[in-house]
Amino acid sequence: MTELWNWRIDRVPPVEVYPALAEALGRVVMPLAVADPARLPTYAVICDVWEAPGEFGTIVDCYGVPDRLSEEAGIAALARLLGCHCLLRDDTLDAGRHLLVGPDGTIRPVHFDLTETDDGEELSNQRLCTLDNPGCRGWSRCHRSRWAPDSVIPALAAA
């Protein structure tokens, strides 16, 4: 269990996330709070889901994810099953830049304002990563990403 996937979902109760995640990944999903490492099947995914303040306040951490499935394909399947938007971090290391995955499977880069709170990182003020925004032009981190500003990519092409 070396890989960690960390996603955010647009306000879905944790009780709904676990079964949808199991279907999306094609694996048994065990909540972190009850997972006993000595009794876990080798194919199980351990998952922690909790609520945080702000936009996309349902946070999902997955440990021991399948090697055969890309993270983008996994989150696109989850967004489709839940019928809502999900977020994952992009590849720029910009804390405010994420990839927005729609229920239709499209992936597009977006930015958020971040505020540190006692309850964790709070996202607000969602906006598209676009060349219309001066912060996304020129030598910005946005251009170092495989998810260029203004890109809209179907999930199957992104995987």
Side-chain angles (χ1 to χ4, degrees), residues 31-100:
L32 181 63
V34 298
D36 178 359
R39 301 182 65 201
L40 280 178
T42 56
Y43 54 84
V45 173
I46 298 173
C47 184
D48 195 13
V49 181
W50 72 97
E51 297 291 329
E55 296 178 47
F56 292 88
T58 303
I59 301 175
V60 179
D61 285 342
C62 296
Y63 308 89
V65 294
D67 293 335
R68 63 170 169 65
L69 183 66
S70 74
E71 185 173 14
E72 291 87 0
I75 194 169
L78 182 64
R80 181 181 50 78
L81 288 166
L82 292 173
C84 67
H85 287 88
C86 299
L87 290 177
L88 72 148
R89 297 264 185 193
D90 75 344
D91 56 355
T92 63
L93 302 179
D94 178 342
R97 191 171 191 259
H98 292 75
L99 299 175
L100 178 68

Side-chain angles (χ1 to χ4, degrees), residues 9 29 73 90 94 122 149 152:
I9 304 172
V29 173
D90 75 344
D94 178 342
E122 185 175 325
V152 178

